[in-house]
Amino acid sequence: MSVAGRTRLVHLSDLHFGATDPAMHAPLAAAVRDLSPDLIVVSGDLTQRARAVQFAQARVFLHSLGAPVLAVPGNHDMPLHRPLTRLLCPFRAWDRGWSPEREPAWQNDRVIVVGMNTADPFAWRRGVIRRGQLNRLGTRLASAGNRIKVVVMHHPLEHLPGEDQPLMRGASQALATLPGLGAQVVLSGHLHVSHIAPFATAPGLLSLQAGTALSHRRRSEANAFNVLDLVPGGITAQIWRADAKGHFGPAAPGQDFALG
Ligand SMILES: [Fe+2]
Ligand SMILES: [Fe+2]
């Protein structure tokens, strides 16, 4: 049930249909439905290999959850083993199988959520964020008035110490630019690690990194997702993680952050 004045987002990421843990499908669907979000955000890697059948599975699953879905592509949503297709029409499968929109937006009267496509056909895994994308984002956020401004992208803008993957191209410049555009919260995935904290190099901007919600390609943690409750001026953010029996629940108390 929707609560007056509060906007609830469920932040899923890295579903990897084609490489999911089938035992987790029903528990994840039940947990998301019980949370009754206003919007489900998916920060990329809906599929494992950008196959039509994998997009179809993602579509059926996500559209069964009882809320609108906003999703952006991840690197796995472009073909890896078909380089010609990847270079000539990297998002054909996404466009046909999910949506022709790769940078979608959603808003109500209190919150705007804007997606950015950071999947890079020329550097399959690493990702890129370009100046032109930031310019477009600035235009969209400028028209959003005093709504809370949430940005979604697959690749993180900042890595935690010890991460061995290279940061995506353009990440540092984007992180330096986003606060000036009015962004307040950034949702991302890709690393299959959950983390909620202000960015170290942009402390006025809150980063929510989601683990993998369904994939068996887990790194150091069980399947997980994030829950965001947004109210004017603030956010409560919480990681939900699967327990040993495969049921999702809060991994720790929600963390409260003021949004300037
Ligand atoms: Fe992934
Ligand atoms: Fe990824």
Side-chain angles (χ1 to χ4, degrees):
M1 190 196 327
S2 205
V3 173
R6 182 200 75 188
T7 300
R8 172 168 284 176
L9 309 183
V10 162
H11 171 204
L12 308 178
S13 199
D14 296 81
L15 303 170
H16 287 277
F17 275 91
T20 61
D21 181 345
M24 302 309 297
H25 289 205
L28 178 64
V32 174
R33 285 193 204 105
D34 283 351
L35 284 161
S36 298
D38 295 284
L39 178 71
I40 297 164
V41 177
V42 189
S43 53
D45 284 357
L46 275 64
T47 70
Q48 177 66 8
R49 286 287 171 254
R51 301 283 181 192
V53 64
Q54 295 169 359
F55 277 111
Q57 291 166 348
R59 217 168 49 234
V60 168
F61 179 82
L62 289 168
H63 289 164
S64 76
L65 301 179
V69 181
L70 179 150
V72 294
N75 54 307
H76 279 265
D77 299 316
M78 303 178 292
L80 172 61
H81 299 303
R82 290 166 284 155
L84 204 58
T85 306
R86 188 171 78 243
L87 293 176
L88 295 177
C89 40
F91 300 107
R92 183 169 66 188
W94 172 276
D95 294 350
R96 290 177 176 173
W98 175 253
S99 162
E101 182 58 80
R102 301 170 208 144
E103 297 198 322
W106 174 95
Q107 66 179 38
N108 62 14
D109 56 357
R110 300 176 301 278
V111 176
I112 182 168
V113 183
V114 181
M116 302 191 79
N117 177 13
T118 57
D120 182 3
F122 300 98
W124 181 77
R125 192 179 192 192
R126 185 176 176 190
V128 65
I129 186 163
R130 302 180 193 282
R131 168 60 52 188
Q133 292 175 279
L134 293 169
N135 292 343
R136 282 199 301 280
L137 176 70
T139 304
R140 297 172 100 169
L141 294 183
S143 66
N146 59 3
R147 291 177 176 85
I148 296 173
K149 297 172 180 66
V150 180
V151 181
V152 185
M153 61 189 74
H154 181 59
H155 296 81
L157 290 170
E158 190 177 75
H159 283 174
L160 294 175
E163 177 55 54
D164 55 2
Q165 289 197 39
L167 201 56
M168 79 165 147
R169 281 199 301 132
S172 302
Q173 299 92 314
L175 193 47
T177 304
L178 283 176
L181 302 180
Q184 293 165 292
V185 182
V186 179
L187 311 183
S188 55
H190 186 56
L191 298 177
H192 298 197
V193 173
S194 306
H195 184 70
I196 299 175
F199 286 100
T201 55
L205 192 57
L206 183 63
S207 168
L208 279 89
Q209 184 78 40
T212 169
L214 271 188
S215 171
H216 61 64
R217 297 158 51 87
R218 295 176 283 256
R219 284 179 82 183
S220 55
E221 66 175 87
N223 290 115
F225 63 89
N226 297 327
V227 180
L228 296 74
D229 283 337
L230 298 152
V231 295
I235 174 173
T236 302
Q238 190 169 43
I239 298 168
W240 279 47
R241 193 173 284 136
D243 63 16
K245 292 182 177 170
H247 297 126
F248 286 91
Q255 303 176 67
D256 295 327
F257 300 92
L259 299 175

